[in-house]
Structure formats: C-alpha cells, structure tokens
Amino acid sequence: MSDETLMRRYAEGDAAAFEELYARYRKSLYGFLVRQCGNPQTAEELYQEIWLKLIRSREQYEVRASFRTFLFRIAHNTLIDHLRARGRHPDQEALEYVEEDVDPGAGSSAIANPDDDLETRQLAEHLVGLIGALPESQREVFLLREEAGMAVAEIAEVLGENAETVKSRLRYAWAKLRRGLAEHGK
Amino acid sequence: MANDRSEQTSDEAGGEDLSRIYAEVSGVEPPAGLDALILSAARNELEPPAPEAASVKPGQPGLPRAPWAMAALVVLAAMLYQVIPDQQMTGSEPIVVSMADRQAHDFSDLQNKLKETPAAPAPDASPRIGSVSSGADFRQERSVPERKQTEERAVLEAREADESLAPEPVIVARSTKASAPEKSEQFVAEAESKAAPIASLPQVAMVDRDVQQAPRSNLQRHASGRLLENRKRATRTTVTESTQAYSAPGSLAGDAQLAAPQSRKDDAAEFATLADSAAVAGARADAPDQLAAAPAEVAAGQVLIFAGAPDSGIFVEQAGQFDGLGVELARRVLNQAGYRVEFRAMPLNEAVEQARSGAVDAVIGVAISIGADRSLQSGSEAFSPDGLVFAFSELRSLGELRAHFDAEIARMRASGELANLQRRYGVHSGLQ
C-alpha cells in the first residue's frame, strides 16, 4: 500500500495505517534530524514536534505531492523555525566558508576502495564529523539524499528551491566531504 | 519506502562512493519510548471524546460543569504560579519542556500519564509541543495525593464541560526570554558596543537586517566564515596590506559616533536600525564631502561589475549564468536605477583585491571591517547580526547608487518581496 493511501486511511480513522507509515519513516526522519542538528536531544524534540504536526494536519493532507515530500517539508520548516528561535550558534559560523574551486570528484580515488570493513567504518565515523561541519544548506541536501533517499528533483521540492541550486549544493558538499576523507587517509 | 535516487539523471550522479561509506552510519533509530509516545498520540487523536462521567447516574441532574471548569483553572494557575520561578514568568511565549530535562529518557512515566489521561483534544497548531503531559508531571510532583485525585477529576470535568476552558495539558506557559524592557536595554548595550567598529567600516550598502530577533543569516555566516578564512590566509597573502584604497575616503568615525547618542533618543528598534543600517550607509549619504572626494563618478547607463565567490543561495554561477539572492537583489536595484550590471565569479580574495584596485565595483555577500592592525576582518560583528552586505570599491563614487539600494530594499522589505526572495534562495534570516 502506498504512503499516500496509508496517510489517507489514517485521516479517515485507521490507526494501523499510521503505524505502518511511521515504521517506514522513523529511521530516515530521525537520522536526518540527528545529523542535521548534531544533537540527539534537540533531534528528539524536533522529531516529536514534526510527527505531531503531521498527525494534526492529517485532515488537510491532499495527495498533491508524495507523502515523503510532505513529511520532510514539515521537517525542513520545523528546522528553520528552530534555528530562528535559537539564533545561529557562533561555532557553526566559522565552518560556513565555501571554497572557490570545487571539483566534485576531488579525493574520490582515495576513498573509492577502502581496504576492509574496519577502514570503511573508520571512514564513516570521520564522515559524520565532516557532515557536521558542512554549511547547513549543503548538509541538508546531502542528508535528504542519503537518509531520505531523495533525488535532486524531490529535494528541490522539499526545500522550495530550483534543481540547479540543489545540484550545486550537493556538488559542494561532495567535494568537501571527499577532500576531508582524503586528508584523513593521508 | 521507495528510493527515488534510482531515477537520478547522469548530472546528479556521483555520490555513490560517499553513499557507500555513509551507509555504515545511517539508519539511526529513535528511542523506543519516543516511538511509543508518538504512536500513542496518533491513536489518541483518532479516539472520540470521552463518555460522560460515570458518577452521574441517568435520570439525576448532573453537577453544573462551568464552576468545575473554572475551579480547575484556578487551581492549576495557582500551582503553576507557585512552581515557576519569578524570572521565568516575565514572558508569555510557550516553550518546550525539553526532553533533555528528563533524565535518562524516562518515557515510561510519560506513557503512564498518557494512559491516565483520557483522549484529550489535541492542541491546535501550537508553538511548541512539550514532552506530552508535562502538566500531569506538575500535578504529580507538586501536590499531595488526595488533592491530586480531586484536581484530576476537576480537569477531566472541565474538559468535558467546555473544551475552550480546558487547560492544555501539554504546554507549560513560561518563557526564559527577556521581557520587552530587558530587550531594549540589550539593544542599547549592543549598539554601544557596535559604535566603535562601525567607525572603521568601509563604504557598504546593507540590506536585510532584523536586530530584534538577532539570528544571523546564512549569508552572514558565509561571509563571516569566508573572511575568517581570509584572515587565516592573510599570513601568506597580501590581504593584510593597507586598506586605504578600500576604506572610505575620510573617516566615518564622526558619523558613527554621532549616530549612537542620537539613536538613544529613539526606541530600541529604531536604534537597531540606525546602528546596522543608517549609521553605515545613511551616514555616508549625509556626508557629501566624502562622496565628492571620490575620484570617478559612475553615470547611469554605465556597466558596473559586481564580483562574488560561488556560494549557495547568494551567488551562484552555472555555465556562465548567475543566480542567487545577492545577484537578484543587485539586478533589481541596478536595473531600476538605470545601470547595467555584469557579474564575475572569482575567489573572494581576488574579488576583494579587484575591488581595491577598482577593477570591479562591488563584491557581493561580504561584510568587511578594518581592524586596528589594518587587516581585513569579518564585519558581521561590527554592525549587523543579520545583514546582507555589498561592499563597494571606493575608487568610483557610488553614493547615488547606494541610495537606490537603500530605497529599493526598504520597499521590498515592506512589500514582503525580500522575504520571498530569501525563501526562494534558501537564505533565511528570521525576517518573518
């Protein structure tokens, strides 16, 4: 049964439909928030807030876009509200430098074939730190792609951006992450 | 859940290596207690309102409900007043009862409260939802057992009697935010601290600020980050050389020093505006001597060159096409003022150097001040917590153009166009 059908059935009073829908998205939404906030406690608050917003807006839900877009758009807006409410944390700002010369493929050879599982795991843990250091907008598109499994067009829909902007952010994110991983491997 | 990345086009492919590594750490699961909490809330939302109280037998007149509701409100209000410290009562905005406050994710308590609490109508689009049933926690922690039963019955009766009178159990009305008078004092203090840095700013036109809310835009952070990086590089480049050509011809210190005391006569909001805008751009507009001293007047119809470093949302270059919030604003203002504009993408250091030499007329998306050691520094702290800045080369007189910028930006702000543009480009600044 499609996500959209489940949501419609929940709006009509089928609690089991919500449980199924929740099971499908709990990991991706939570993972997105944890990486985006970098703070599990904040992520938990936002996670709860997002689902409650969804629950309360069930009767307004219309199948214009996919349910996933609907859910992550709520998440995006909730994150923005959260950031506005608390202001920008100073220690994030020094990390917002955008390199001038971006080669999305830079460093890819160094991370293409990690030798073993342990090395892959170590790279992954380092990658988490690098993701946290990305500018917010780049981190968001990267996470929507990786955690929510979205293509560029869907990310653009969630963010209300054009696809070219999303691609550009994605390329910057990739380039920085690859460079960071390559430096880590030296 | 379908994965639409399988539908990706060739120009968006390329992150597979990173995806493979990221897969090692993806799939973080929420705590089980949180799952239960949300699923309970979803079920409760669907449940019909609770039946009439069993204590009232059929055929007997029921107890009057309105007094019960009022009594419940009074009891709860008195409890909250006793419980919440004075300094937290100065505001009125609801805030989240943080889950972090609850040690070790003690969700079992919350779930018990959910079970105890009958299907209550959910709060509407409320600002923030607490950790569900924080009101119940207050009852448990602050009252004696026999009173607790009575009060809970009263609350239940109140809900049934009149939803509009029923207290919302999930929101605790308190705020840690400063009250209005405190904010005013903060603004004055901030502005006083800004007065000295303002004196050292180069000529800039600035748009998009909201000092009262004080969040900093993506742009500001980008600018700040880039310039911090520039400062690091300055040790091995020429960026830290004399900024005479780039700074205002003549000191702005007088203007800035005049601006601060003048603004103290106004309210805090006006002061903030003065400090972050008029004291920068406006003060120069009122200084014809300075503008007259500029060497080359730019006439309408001439081509102006605006440079910027590639930056998501602010200055984007794609196959020779330029886009972004800074680009869009520059286009609108310059075209309306009768100028033509040409954009050039280059590294920020180069853009700054070219602005110094006059090869370009302005740099998009930077905030620059001149430090005591004459090094370039991020100007973000100097005058605006939330601003979009165009730094103009001082080698050409752009006084009239700056006035156009200020006027057009003020108009766009008032009409909401500016906020729309910010949303469009993902440069959020807390304007709304």
Side-chain angles (χ1 to χ4, degrees):
Chain A
M1 196 178 294
S2 72
D3 296 342
E4 293 73 29
T5 304
L6 287 172
M7 185 63 190
R8 206 170 50 242
R9 289 183 64 161
Y10 174 60
E12 291 165 0
D14 182 354
F18 180 85
E19 288 172 15
E20 170 67 24
L21 207 48
Y22 181 79
R24 290 184 188 181
Y25 286 96
R26 57 189 283 278
K27 276 190 192 177
S28 58
L29 179 61
Y30 187 72
F32 168 75
L33 291 170
V34 166
R35 302 285 182 231
Q36 184 71 349
C37 300
N39 175 347
Q41 287 160 345
T42 304
E44 284 170 19
E45 288 176 8
L46 295 178
Y47 180 81
Q48 180 185 335
E49 187 176 341
I50 291 162
W51 280 110
L52 291 181
K53 281 180 180 174
L54 179 92
I55 288 166
R56 286 171 187 155
S57 62
R58 66 192 182 281
E59 286 168 359
Q60 286 81 48
Y61 175 72
E62 295 176 16
V63 190
R64 288 181 186 165
S66 73
F67 171 79
R68 180 168 56 182
T69 304
F70 181 68
L71 175 64
F72 279 90
R73 186 150 204 156
I74 294 175
H76 170 70
N77 291 335
T78 305
L79 266 168
I80 289 174
D81 291 344
H82 169 73
L83 291 172
R84 284 177 181 164
R86 74 175 182 141
R88 308 288 182 176
H89 199 279
D91 64 6
Q92 291 181 340
E93 292 166 13
L95 303 172
E96 297 281 330
Y97 174 71
V98 178
E99 287 84 347
E100 295 85 9
D101 302 311
V102 174
D103 173 8
S108 56
S109 60
I111 58 172
N113 298 300
D115 290 341
D116 52 31
D117 290 347
L118 179 62
E119 189 179 344
T120 304
R121 182 74 199 176
Q122 286 172 342
L123 274 176
E125 283 167 4
H126 186 62
L127 180 63
V128 169
L130 294 170
I131 291 168
L134 286 174
E136 234 162 67
S137 57
Q138 293 173 20
R139 184 165 62 235
E140 189 169 34
V141 296
F142 179 83
L143 291 172
L144 285 172
R145 182 182 162 89
E146 296 300 332
E147 288 286 358
M150 290 181 178
V152 164
E154 195 174 1
I155 297 172
E157 198 175 342
V158 167
L159 303 182
E161 306 277 7
N162 64 52
E164 287 305 314
T165 301
V166 171
K167 282 183 198 171
S168 171
R169 289 179 188 175
L170 201 52
R171 280 195 288 266
Y172 277 119
W174 285 344
K176 286 178 189 175
L177 295 176
R178 288 194 180 113
R179 191 157 45 245
L181 288 176
E183 286 169 5
H184 176 70
K186 284 179 184 174
Chain B
M1 179 175 60
N3 188 330
D4 286 352
R5 283 168 51 189
S6 57
E7 300 165 11
Q8 66 192 2
T9 56
S10 59
D11 63 344
E12 66 189 74
E16 292 78 9
D17 52 341
L18 292 167
S19 297
R20 196 173 57 252
I21 296 172
Y22 185 77
E24 286 285 317
V25 288
S26 66
V28 185
E29 297 207 24
L34 196 51
D35 288 341
L37 201 64
I38 290 164
L39 292 172
S40 292
R43 279 191 296 272
N44 287 344
E45 282 286 323
L46 296 176
E47 287 175 11
E52 291 294 314
S55 58
V56 180
K57 292 178 183 176
Q60 288 185 344
L63 292 170
R65 302 291 167 79
W68 276 104
M70 294 302 293
L73 274 177
V74 169
V75 168
L76 284 178
M79 289 169 62
L80 285 173
Y81 183 79
Q82 289 177 338
V83 163
I84 300 172
D86 286 348
Q87 65 271 22
Q88 292 177 338
M89 298 288 284
T90 54
S92 60
E93 185 174 337
I95 63 165
V96 175
V97 179
S98 170
M99 298 184 88
D101 294 337
R102 303 193 58 77
Q103 298 288 323
H105 303 301
D106 184 11
F107 295 112
S108 58
D109 180 40
L110 295 177
Q111 289 180 66
N112 290 336
K113 296 299 174 191
L114 275 173
K115 286 174 189 168
E116 290 171 16
T117 308
D124 55 5
S126 53
R128 290 271 174 166
I129 310 304
S131 298
V132 180
S133 75
S134 51
D137 291 343
F138 271 90
R139 288 195 298 272
Q140 184 187 44
E141 293 164 9
R142 309 299 178 191
S143 60
V144 294
E146 56 269 29
R147 281 181 62 196
K148 178 185 166 191
Q149 284 187 347
T150 306
E151 287 158 5
E152 288 184 343
R153 256 202 317 275
V155 171
L156 180 58
E157 291 287 347
R159 284 190 187 134
E160 291 167 352
D162 186 348
E163 286 185 9
S164 66
L165 289 177
E168 294 182 324
V170 299
I171 294 182
V172 176
R174 64 185 171 101
S175 173
T176 56
K177 292 192 173 181
S179 62
E182 289 167 341
K183 281 186 178 175
S184 298
E185 290 172 11
Q186 286 170 8
F187 290 141
V188 172
E190 284 175 13
E192 284 176 341
S193 69
K194 288 171 184 171
I198 285 170
S200 62
L201 286 171
Q203 287 196 5
V204 293
M206 202 213 72
V207 299
D208 182 5
R209 70 283 180 194
D210 188 355
V211 171
Q212 290 190 41
Q213 294 189 32
R216 301 176 62 169
S217 68
N218 285 339
L219 175 71
Q220 199 69 33
R221 288 180 292 108
H222 283 300
S224 172
R226 281 199 300 261
L227 283 151
L228 283 172
E229 183 67 15
N230 279 346
R231 273 194 287 176
K232 291 175 194 166
R233 293 179 179 183
T235 55
R236 56 180 189 276
T237 67
T238 59
V239 173
T240 54
E241 291 174 2
S242 167
T243 54
Q244 188 174 3
Y246 199 69
S247 58
S251 171
L252 291 176
D255 298 307
Q257 286 164 0
L258 283 175
Q262 171 62 37
S263 64
R264 290 166 112 171
K265 298 173 185 172
D266 306 320
D267 63 30
E270 285 174 348
F271 180 85
T273 302
L274 187 63
D276 71 5
S277 178
V280 178
R284 282 187 302 279
D286 294 333
D289 291 344
Q290 293 176 10
L291 296 176
E297 187 66 39
V298 177
Q302 276 191 262
V303 176
L304 292 170
I305 301 170
F306 276 48
D311 196 353
S312 59
I314 299 151
F315 190 91
V316 179
E317 191 265 333
Q318 188 84 30
Q321 301 296 310
F322 293 89
D323 199 8
L325 180 61
V327 171
E328 179 73 21
L329 285 174
R331 268 193 194 121
R332 287 189 183 207
V333 175
L334 293 168
N335 290 339
Q336 196 172 67
Y339 293 90
R340 288 184 293 156
V341 60
E342 184 180 317
F343 296 101
R344 290 185 188 167
M346 59 185 73
L348 188 70
N349 283 355
E350 192 180 328
V352 171
E353 288 300 329
Q354 291 204 16
R356 282 173 163 177
S357 70
V360 304
D361 297 296
V363 183
I364 292 182
V366 294
I368 299 173
S369 63
I370 313 299
D373 59 354
R374 302 182 69 79
S375 62
L376 290 180
Q377 295 180 358
S378 166
S380 58
E381 296 298 332
F383 60 92
S384 171
D386 188 40
L388 172 59
V389 178
F390 292 82
F392 290 99
S393 167
E394 292 303 325
L395 297 187
R396 305 177 90 178
S397 174
L398 301 171
E400 187 182 350
L401 182 59
R402 270 190 288 275
H404 279 295
F405 260 95
D406 285 350
E408 177 62 8
I409 295 307
R411 188 195 66 73
M412 289 173 67
R413 177 188 297 279
S415 69
E417 285 178 64
L418 189 57
N420 288 338
L421 277 180
Q422 287 179 308
R423 276 194 291 273
R424 177 176 159 195
Y425 290 108
V427 180
H428 302 289
S429 67
L431 272 179
Q432 292 75 22

